[in-house]
Amino acid sequence: MNLQYKITDLVIMIFLLLSFPSVKAQKSNTNQPNVLVIYTDDHRYTGIHALGNQQVETPHMDNLVNEGVSFSNTYLMGAFSGATCIPSRAMLLSGRNLFDLEGQGHVIPKEHITIGETFKKAGYYTHIVGKWHQDNKSLSRSFDSGDRIMGRGVYLTDHFRMPLWDWDKRGEYKKDDAYLLIYNNKGELVRRALNTKDKRGPIGTENNGPHTSEIFAESASEFITNYDKKQPFFMYLAFHAPHDPRQAPEVYRNKYQTENIKLPPSYMMQHPFDNGNMVLRDEELAPWPRTKIVAQQHLADYYAIITHLDTQIGKVIEALKESGDYKNTLIVLAGDSGLAVGNHGLIGKQNIYDEDGVHVPFILAGGVIKNKGKKIETYNYIHDIFPTICEITNVAIPNSVTGKSLLPVIKQETTEHRKTTYHAYKQFQRAYRKGEYKLIEYVRAKDFNKRKGEFESGSRVTQLFNVKKDPWETIDLSFQPKHKELLNQMKREMKDKAIELGDKKENIYGEKYDFWDYYY
């Protein structure tokens, strides 16, 4: 968008640019930048080539890294659900930490102001495309409109046969209103209602219908191309990829031959102990032990669906450029969790190892960002993204937000955002990171499910890693005498941080068991 500044406005712009070189100054609230938030699913930090230098091909996301500001140490705080994307999205959307959510994060209560509500109040037109994992009420109040809504209770476990809903301002999203996008016998794209013959997948291919990433990218691109309102827009584009099933069109699968895949240093055939959640859906996606060929196949499929996703993200960015809006748009790209895919003998993300569970990509790009290719090392969380976007766009941060804006770091007013990070996974795992070191503590604790009733799971294990020298967390230092004093200090500080954050079951609605009841 080309802006013609008056003399007064030009003076203001120069002053803002001098005080904040990373962000394009805006003439007034009516000319605030558009915001496009792209949230990917189960997308670990090394799932972008420019960040992790792995075999995965991601030219469009690489370009965002090269043309924007990337963060090398952004983390999911944790989860009290095996579906870690639930609390992750609640943290992104509310700007609140894990222990400030409503229970596991399924519901965002009215008093927790969402990022969509915040930008609506600031005069933005808000729009959602894709996956929503929270309640319908928070969905309705967050956006003015939406398209191809996913995740409202019907799921066929198939990227090529994904149940979708049209935007419903009332927030009802009835099962009978769900539909599939398929190709008819003439090759035309049509929509049809679900029926009893629609079995769970993954059984679909590109011959059945478009992939979810294609559907969501097309919807987002159409919105950008056709947008004609005077208000700036805020779009939340939530892809389901690269979440399993790791399906991609054949041309992308053929890019990654299984036998040519290099496994990372943390590959193991089997995790060395019970971490408390070894038997669940994600870990059932591959047989035990995870032989080299099994891990290579899963990683090849993971890379294929990421490369396909990258192509679709490229289409959305191209739509921004063709519309003329790219120069006045802040693009935010982040992943919701890590994923093991063979690391440490695991397949899922129900852990607090870095790449396997909590380390995610986070990039700020678009025409608004001026510091091309800048990489920021300081520790930060997913729930810091919301207040950061607000401060960059000069939108007031709600009082309900507990995350911290990274703007001072971006402006180079400071180099440190957080000195430590703290992570929790259910009642089984806790982690504390400070400086070069990361402590992970595991316990054997009680758990419950409807099939087994109450049972015990997990192991009492301590791990200590130097994450600077050993980023894949392969060398446990906890038993070495020279690290005894450091280890004890890290344990004490982890307990203090737990108290500071309110990490106890009484603060997490619906939780029956507490890590600290089993830790000694």
Side-chain angles (χ1 to χ4, degrees):
M1 181 182 296
N2 294 319
L3 302 177
Q4 299 297 322
Y5 292 94
K6 296 179 182 178
I7 298 298
T8 302
D9 296 325
L10 183 59
V11 172
I12 294 172
M13 181 187 73
I14 293 171
F15 171 77
L16 289 172
L17 286 174
L18 288 173
S19 62
F20 182 21
S22 299
V23 176
K24 180 180 179 181
Q26 297 304 317
K27 182 171 66 174
S28 67
N29 286 341
T30 58
N31 288 306
Q32 286 179 283
N34 304 305
V35 179
L36 169 61
V37 177
I38 302 172
Y39 211 44
T40 55
D41 200 331
D42 289 1
H43 193 180
R44 70 191 191 192
Y45 177 81
T46 55
I48 295 178
H49 179 78
L51 299 180
N53 198 31
Q54 300 299 295
Q55 285 174 287
V56 62
E57 297 176 16
T58 54
H60 299 288
M61 287 186 275
D62 290 354
N63 193 53
L64 292 180
V65 173
N66 297 332
E67 292 293 312
V69 176
S70 61
F71 297 81
S72 303
N73 288 290
T74 301
Y75 299 98
L76 169 66
M77 193 176 225
F80 287 93
S81 166
T84 64
C85 46
I86 294 171
S88 174
R89 286 156 199 271
M91 284 182 266
L92 173 81
L93 295 162
S94 71
R96 296 172 68 84
N97 76 46
L98 179 64
F99 307 101
D100 291 333
L101 300 179
E102 179 79 3
Q104 295 181 356
H106 292 274
V107 173
I108 303 178
K110 192 173 182 179
E111 58 269 23
H112 297 176
I113 308 303
T114 68
I115 192 169
E117 290 179 282
T118 300
F119 276 81
K120 281 178 70 173
K121 185 178 179 180
Y124 279 72
Y125 185 87
T126 60
H127 185 77
I128 178 176
V129 173
K131 185 172 182 175
W132 185 262
H133 233 324
Q134 276 60 53
D135 60 296
N136 288 337
K137 288 183 179 179
S138 61
L139 172 58
S140 294
R141 70 175 190 262
S142 295
F143 302 100
D144 293 303
S145 62
D147 194 21
R148 310 302 195 205
I149 308 300
M150 177 207 149
R152 310 317 307 133
V154 185
Y155 185 55
L156 295 180
T157 322
D158 198 322
H159 279 282
F160 293 105
R161 299 180 309 122
M162 183 60 64
L164 304 167
W165 280 261
D166 290 330
W167 172 252
D168 184 352
K169 186 61 180 176
R170 299 167 299 173
E172 294 184 358
Y173 298 101
K174 298 175 183 178
K175 182 178 180 180
D176 290 345
D177 293 331
Y179 61 91
L180 300 180
L181 289 176
I182 64 167
Y183 299 123
N184 64 17
N185 54 14
K186 296 181 181 179
E188 301 166 331
L189 183 63
V190 297
R191 54 189 286 173
R192 72 160 175 83
L194 297 177
N195 59 54
T196 55
K197 295 181 180 180
D198 290 318
K199 297 181 180 179
R200 283 181 173 268
I203 56 177
T205 70
E206 59 262 47
N207 296 321
N208 297 105
H211 193 281
T212 58
S213 296
E214 297 166 5
I215 293 170
F216 299 152
E218 182 180 12
S219 293
S221 298
E222 287 179 353
F223 173 85
I224 292 166
T225 300
N226 298 324
Y227 189 74
D228 60 359
K229 300 181 186 300
K230 293 182 179 179
Q231 306 159 264
F233 66 77
F234 174 95
M235 189 193 325
Y236 177 56
L237 171 55
F239 285 101
H240 187 43
H243 192 288
D244 71 88
R246 289 179 271 278
Q247 300 162 292
E250 186 176 3
V251 65
Y252 291 90
R253 297 199 314 272
N254 290 341
K255 284 179 174 287
Y256 301 99
Q257 298 303 309
T258 302
E259 63 274 13
N260 295 330
I261 297 297
K262 298 176 183 178
L263 296 176
S266 59
Y267 160 71
M268 294 181 185
M269 292 181 71
Q270 183 166 317
H271 195 262
F273 56 88
D274 177 6
N275 69 7
N277 244 177
M278 301 293 290
V279 183
L280 77 171
R281 191 202 70 89
D282 284 27
E283 296 303 330
E284 292 173 355
L285 295 175
W288 298 94
R290 278 68 196 262
T291 62
K292 182 179 179 181
I293 193 69
V294 166
Q296 285 176 308
Q297 183 60 63
H298 274 265
L299 201 50
D301 293 341
Y302 187 54
Y303 288 167
I305 193 173
I306 290 175
T307 301
H308 177 249
L309 168 65
D310 180 78
T311 300
Q312 311 317 310
I313 290 174
K315 292 177 181 178
V316 178
I317 295 168
E318 184 60 30
L320 271 175
K321 291 179 177 179
E322 290 182 355
S323 71
D325 284 333
Y326 180 84
K327 291 181 180 179
N328 194 39
T329 297
L330 172 65
I331 300 172
V332 182
L333 173 68
D336 72 352
S337 73
L339 194 68
V341 206
N343 292 354
H344 297 99
L346 304 171
I347 295 296
K349 68 261 187 174
Q350 292 77 18
N351 64 83
I352 45 182
Y353 290 120
D354 274 14
E355 289 306 303
D356 310 19
V358 297
H359 193 192
V360 298
F362 171 33
I363 305 164
L364 297 172
V368 169
I369 300 297
K370 296 302 181 185
N371 278 5
K372 306 297 185 185
K374 182 177 178 61
K375 293 191 176 182
I376 294 176
E377 301 292 333
T378 187
Y379 293 147
N380 62 95
Y381 292 117
I382 284 172
H383 57 275
D384 293 332
I385 296 175
F386 179 165
T388 301
I389 298 172
C390 286
E391 284 212 326
I392 289 176
T393 56
N394 198 28
V395 168
I397 302 170
N399 291 332
S400 58
V401 168
T402 59
K404 293 171 55 180
S405 170
L406 282 150
L407 185 59
V409 180
I410 299 170
K411 291 171 65 175
Q412 300 178 327
E413 294 175 351
T414 180
T415 57
E416 187 172 74
H417 179 68
R418 294 184 185 273
K419 294 181 179 180
T420 66
T421 68
Y422 181 91
H423 307 275
Y425 178 70
K426 297 182 70 173
Q427 66 270 35
F428 298 111
Q429 306 169 29
R430 294 294 184 274
Y432 177 71
R433 182 195 324 266
K434 182 180 181 182
E436 297 182 6
Y437 293 92
K438 179 181 172 185
L439 169 72
I440 307 180
E441 295 277 41
Y442 304 81
V443 296
R444 184 166 181 81
K446 290 184 179 179
D447 203 356
F448 177 88
N449 65 39
K450 292 180 180 180
R451 181 174 59 85
K452 296 173 64 175
E454 189 171 72
F455 61 97
E456 286 192 345
S457 185
S459 310
R460 179 65 189 94
V461 173
T462 296
Q463 295 173 322
L464 180 68
F465 300 105
N466 185 317
V467 287
K468 184 175 182 179
K469 296 179 180 178
D470 177 27
W472 294 93
E473 296 165 307
T474 63
I475 304 171
D476 180 15
L477 307 173
S478 64
F479 64 91
Q480 296 183 8
K482 66 179 180 179
H483 293 296
K484 183 177 180 179
E485 184 177 343
L486 171 66
L487 180 64
N488 290 333
Q489 178 185 339
M490 295 281 284
K491 288 183 176 183
R492 289 192 300 270
E493 292 185 11
M494 186 179 80
K495 290 181 181 179
D496 291 341
K497 182 60 71 171
I499 294 169
E500 177 189 328
L501 290 167
D503 178 8
K504 56 183 180 178
K505 65 184 178 184
E506 290 80 8
N507 286 346
I508 306 157
Y509 178 78
E511 290 304 304
K512 186 177 181 181
Y513 307 107
D514 194 324
F515 171 89
W516 299 103
D517 289 341
Y518 303 95
Y519 183 72
Y520 54 88

